[in-house]
Amino acid sequence: MTRHFLRDDDLSPAQQTRVLDLALAMKKRPYDALDNPGPLAGPRTVAMIFDKQTLRTQASFAAGIAELGGHPMLVDGTLAGIGVRESVEDVARVLGRQASIIVWRTFAQSRLDAMAEHSGVPVVNALTDDFHPCQLLADLLTIREHKGDLPGLTVAFVGDGACNMGNSWLLAGATAGLHVRISSPEGYAPDAAMVEAAATIAAGTGGSAVLEADPHAAVAGADVVVTDTWISMGKEDEAAERAHVFGPYSLTSALFAEAKPDAIAMHCLPAYRGKEIDAAVIDGPRSVVWDEAENRRHAQKAVLTWLLEEDPDE
């Protein structure tokens, strides 16, 4: 059975831990696969499709695939006209015969699901409107590096909770046994079904997933404080309104000071200093955003390896 990584809860707690362990090992010895053939040796081809703007996703996947001994094949989503010129299903059947894995950064989650259903090879979610699971693996890897074991740590996400990062923090954080607090203005919280799904996972891992409208209460005593841009791709026409609504949820130096003294600040980038985060925070000594950006590569290498090498029953 072909295995895919389409959303954060595609990994069980044990599988998530295995992928993070593998990512840590690969970060220590990033070029091992070039001397000791890995799962992409041959080289095997990985198709990378980008329908949305990208920097870290394209750079980290291309570098990681090459380090695994594979060949990154860039497919221009605009030129391919996926879903317009050709159906997602037909594109999936074509690419599944040209590549060993398909990595897709697109809009609707349903497009990714259709690709996975018809490709015959593993499909990886490189970002959709609903989830950003590769980013979360990189974030969890970064927290492990700076904080040690994940279970029991408290993470506060402040800002737009009704976005892919809010959803992914709920699911991946609960899977890791974290206590996740999502703090958003009224009307911008994650969907109730997503919170319920995270709570169900957390019941088995010892974590928790809660909504906390007050950003000060959410950040108080947190080990990790996370934010993201208020203007997600496709929301540019709402910029003025969002700046007003989200103002109280900006990760200022004052708000960050309410977390633990050794708390770390995270942002998946791109960041807009003076809006969702103060320059003093993102450029300060407790910011780990550049580690996050690097760790996309290592986490994604681990996912690609896991998809091709691990026993699907484990």
Side-chain angles (χ1 to χ4, degrees), residues 277-300:
I277 190 167
D278 276 1
V281 176
I282 193 170
D283 298 320
R286 290 189 285 148
S287 167
V288 297
V289 298
W290 314 116
D291 292 341
E292 284 181 81
E294 176 190 344
N295 283 340
R296 287 289 300 275
R297 181 168 114 248
H298 309 300
Q300 288 158 186

Side-chain angles (χ1 to χ4, degrees), residues 6 14 107 128 141 157 228-229 235 241 266 277 306:
L6 307 181
F107 295 88
T128 63
L141 176 61
F157 179 97
D228 189 14
T229 177
K235 304 290 186 181
E241 177 187 354
M266 306 185 79
I277 190 167
W306 175 79

Side-chain angles (χ1 to χ4, degrees), residues 146-198:
H146 287 270
K147 291 293 181 183
D149 293 339
L150 297 175
L153 295 175
T154 296
V155 176
F157 179 97
V158 292
D160 185 4
C163 70
N164 49 20
M165 286 298 291
N167 291 338
S168 282
W169 265 111
L170 283 170
L171 296 182
T175 300
L178 296 170
H179 298 295
V180 181
R181 305 168 182 168
I182 305 291
S183 186
S184 307
E186 184 178 356
Y188 294 92
D191 185 79
M194 200 62 60
V195 179
E196 183 178 352

Side-chain angles (χ1 to χ4, degrees), residues 225-312:
V225 185
V226 186
T227 191
D228 189 14
T229 177
W230 300 332
I231 318 298
S232 298
M233 285 176 279
K235 304 290 186 181
E236 291 82 4
D237 59 343
E238 302 175 19
E241 177 187 354
R242 283 172 169 263
H244 174 72
V245 171
F246 286 106
Y249 293 81
S250 177
L251 183 50
T252 62
S253 297
L255 181 59
F256 190 42
E258 298 180 33
K260 287 184 178 178
D262 62 347
I264 55 176
M266 306 185 79
H267 192 307
C268 66
L269 303 175
Y272 301 92
R273 291 164 175 81
K275 293 187 177 179
E276 76 272 6
I277 190 167
D278 276 1
V281 176
I282 193 170
D283 298 320
R286 290 189 285 148
S287 167
V288 297
V289 298
W290 314 116
D291 292 341
E292 284 181 81
E294 176 190 344
N295 283 340
R296 287 289 300 275
R297 181 168 114 248
H298 309 300
Q300 288 158 186
K301 286 171 67 175
V303 167
L304 296 174
T305 300
W306 175 79
L307 285 170
L308 291 176
E309 286 195 335
E310 295 290 336
D311 182 348

Side-chain angles (χ1 to χ4, degrees), residues 134 156 174 188 223:
C134 288
Y188 294 92
D223 299 284

Side-chain angles (χ1 to χ4, degrees), residues 24-49:
L24 282 170
M26 287 181 161
K27 184 171 183 177
K28 291 177 182 176
R29 302 179 63 88
Y31 307 112
D32 270 11
L34 300 181
D35 298 319
N36 303 294
L40 293 180
R44 296 170 77 174
T45 296
V46 177
M48 306 186 305
I49 314 169

